[in-house]
Amino acid sequence: MVLTFYYDNLSQPCRAVYIFLKVNKINFVAKPIELRKGEHRQPEFLKKNPFHKVPYIDDDGFCLAESVAIMSYLAVKHKLADKWFGRSDPVREARIQEFLHWQHHNIRRYEVTLFQYVLKSRLAIFGPPHKLDETVLKGHREEVSNGIKHLDEYFLKDKPFIGGNDISVADIVGVCELLQLAGAEEDGMYKASKKVSDWIARVEAKLNPQFAEAFTKIRKLGDEFRASKA
């Protein structure tokens, strides 16, 4: 039976899994869930996933949430290339896992907060629009800037990718998180670091055309946000 994948590519973790599936040529039945319409909170979906979150998979009755868990499961089941999780090299695997654990509270947490705060200053998305408070905005930007600084100076250093010389799931997850900021015209945060910008370009080059396909929806949201300025 083919894997069923519930997702919305407005979501960073969904994009990461979507890219991973596509790049590794894993067949799946697509089940789009519109987060902006609240479809993830409808009774039909809650019966499947009481956490009301995407991504979510149903693999012939085996159901799983959480993007990293999903990609780890798929990597083992489909005997994918070692580069994704680096399991044959304990040092590389540890570096990949270190970033995956760290990014939740140091990249994703603050990036999501900044993205939603700025986005909702113009669009009625996930709640009514609000007026920006410059002091609050500055604080959110400082938190994101700190995470990018650590990514630059600690996780990348002089390496082309987080795990070393080849791409891994850490790179997919990290880039999917940071590029969300472009949807609210906050991409200057990561563009200020040449090392991080070059890393993003390398990851994108490795994953295209699937990468570009996965980002179609967030780019459209960015267009909607820019148009709202007029």
Side-chain angles (χ1 to χ4, degrees):
M1 187 174 178
V2 179
L3 174 83
T4 302
F5 177 43
Y6 298 83
Y7 68 101
D8 184 342
N9 278 344
L10 198 61
S11 152
Q12 306 91 306
C14 286
R15 289 197 298 272
V17 176
Y18 183 92
I19 291 167
F20 190 77
L21 286 165
K22 288 281 191 172
V23 167
N24 287 293
K25 297 180 172 58
I26 299 172
N27 293 328
F28 63 91
V29 174
K31 293 287 187 180
I33 298 291
E34 291 290 336
L35 295 176
R36 292 180 72 174
K37 294 180 181 178
E39 291 180 359
H40 58 307
R41 295 184 180 275
Q42 295 303 308
E44 183 180 354
F45 184 70
L46 289 174
K47 288 177 184 177
K48 297 179 175 65
N49 183 8
F51 303 131
H52 57 78
K53 303 288 186 183
V54 284
Y56 180 77
I57 63 168
D58 182 338
D59 191 15
D60 196 17
F62 174 67
C63 300
L64 189 64
E66 297 298 325
S67 57
V68 174
I70 290 169
M71 290 186 285
S72 180
Y73 163 73
L74 294 172
V76 173
K77 179 179 178 180
H78 294 276
K79 299 180 174 60
L80 300 182
D82 185 70
K83 66 183 181 181
W84 297 117
F85 283 89
R87 291 185 172 113
S88 67
D89 179 343
V91 172
R92 184 168 190 272
E93 181 183 25
R95 287 300 180 202
I96 292 167
Q97 291 294 337
E98 179 185 33
F99 177 80
L100 291 173
H101 287 282
W102 174 85
Q103 69 87 24
H104 285 291
H105 292 289
N106 297 279
I107 294 289
R108 177 167 175 75
R109 174 184 176 186
Y110 298 118
E111 165 267 309
V112 167
T113 301
L114 174 62
F115 170 75
Q116 292 190 356
Y117 186 70
V118 175
L119 196 75
K120 289 168 68 174
S121 69
R122 296 190 206 163
L123 301 178
I125 180 170
F126 308 127
H130 59 229
K131 186 177 180 180
L132 285 179
D133 180 308
E134 290 299 323
T135 302
V136 173
L137 179 61
K138 181 182 177 183
H140 291 332
R141 284 174 172 164
E142 286 176 352
E143 296 288 6
V144 171
S145 182
N146 287 337
I148 292 171
K149 184 175 185 290
H150 290 312
L151 172 60
D152 180 319
E153 298 177 359
Y154 180 82
F155 287 98
L156 288 172
K157 291 185 181 177
D158 56 353
K159 301 177 296 184
F161 299 100
I162 290 170
N165 292 324
D166 206 351
I167 195 168
S168 72
V169 290
D171 301 289
I172 298 178
V173 169
V175 169
C176 282
E177 289 295 339
L178 283 182
L179 289 191
Q180 189 83 351
L181 293 170
E185 293 189 310
E186 290 290 328
D187 46 331
M189 299 293 299
Y190 57 79
K191 287 181 178 177
S193 165
K194 184 179 186 304
K195 190 183 298 181
V196 171
S197 295
D198 289 347
W199 165 69
I200 289 171
R202 281 192 294 273
V203 173
E204 185 172 356
K206 281 270 191 180
L207 299 174
N208 268 332
Q210 295 88 349
F211 184 93
E213 179 186 339
F215 276 84
T216 300
K217 194 166 187 178
I218 190 64
R219 288 188 176 117
K220 287 181 179 178
L221 180 62
D223 292 342
E224 183 183 345
F225 179 77
R226 283 183 286 277
S228 69
K229 189 187 293 185

